[in-house]
Each structure stands twice: as C-alpha cells, then as structure tokens.
Amino acid sequence: MLSESLKSRFTPRAKEEAKKLLSEMKIAELNDDNLYEVEVELDTRVSGLVTMNECEHQPIDHELLDIYDTLTDIILEHEEEINFLNKLFLE
C-alpha cells in the first residue's frame, strides 16, 4: 500500500506515464531483473529534462519531472513488492 504522501502524488497522469514508460521499454511485467532498468531509465529521463532546460533553454515540464520522481520513490519504497508494483503500474 502506498503511503499517504505517495498516494497523493500518484495521479492519473502518473499512472499513465508509468504505463507509457513500461510500454516504451517493452516491459509487460516487472520483475527483479528489469526493475533496476526502469529505475535507470527514470533517472535518465529526469536528467534529460533538466539538461534540456539548461542547454537548450527549453521550459521544463515540472509536472512530468515530479511524476518521474514519484515513480522512482514508489519503486524504491516497494522494490521488494513486485506484485504490488505490477498491479499499481500495469492494471
């Protein structure tokens, strides 16, 4: 179960972005082997958003940045609960 803090941050858009991310990574189901890959991809996307702002002077989608942070926090808090993460992100 998500903490109250994470529950309030896990918006419908966050769920949509989680599904989109996993789809783009061709992950139909999270497991111990690919969970780290998802964490790395989220970190890469956060870095990309920040770099785009700094180097290309593009505005940051702060909502998307917050979503990536939220997804990372959820994964780190529940990394031992793969079934929970699958239900949360994929159903």
Side-chain angles (χ1 to χ4, degrees):
M1 177 141 229
L2 291 178
S3 65
E4 287 302 315
S5 168
L6 288 176
K7 192 182 293 185
S8 67
R9 293 170 40 204
F10 192 63
T11 63
R13 181 172 177 204
K15 184 169 183 120
E16 179 183 312
E17 289 294 335
K19 283 184 175 184
K20 180 179 169 185
L21 171 71
L22 295 175
S23 175
E24 289 172 5
M25 294 181 71
K26 297 179 179 22
I27 294 175
E29 184 174 313
L30 292 168
N31 57 50
D32 291 331
D33 295 329
N34 63 24
L35 194 57
Y36 177 73
E37 294 172 33
V38 175
E39 289 178 55
V40 169
E41 181 63 23
L42 284 166
D43 188 46
T44 300
R45 290 182 181 215
V46 166
S47 296
L49 285 173
V50 172
T51 300
M52 188 170 63
N53 175 260
E54 292 173 351
C55 296
E56 300 174 16
H57 306 290
Q58 299 283 334
I60 291 180
D61 181 342
H62 289 283
E63 183 181 5
L64 187 56
L65 189 61
D66 289 343
I67 287 170
Y68 290 158
D69 286 340
T70 298
L71 296 177
T72 300
D73 290 346
I74 290 171
I75 289 171
L76 292 174
E77 189 170 303
H78 297 280
E79 62 190 344
E80 300 296 323
E81 304 168 68
I82 298 292
N83 289 334
F84 172 75
L85 292 174
N86 278 310
K87 287 180 182 178
L88 187 67
F89 293 158
L90 296 167
E91 290 184 1

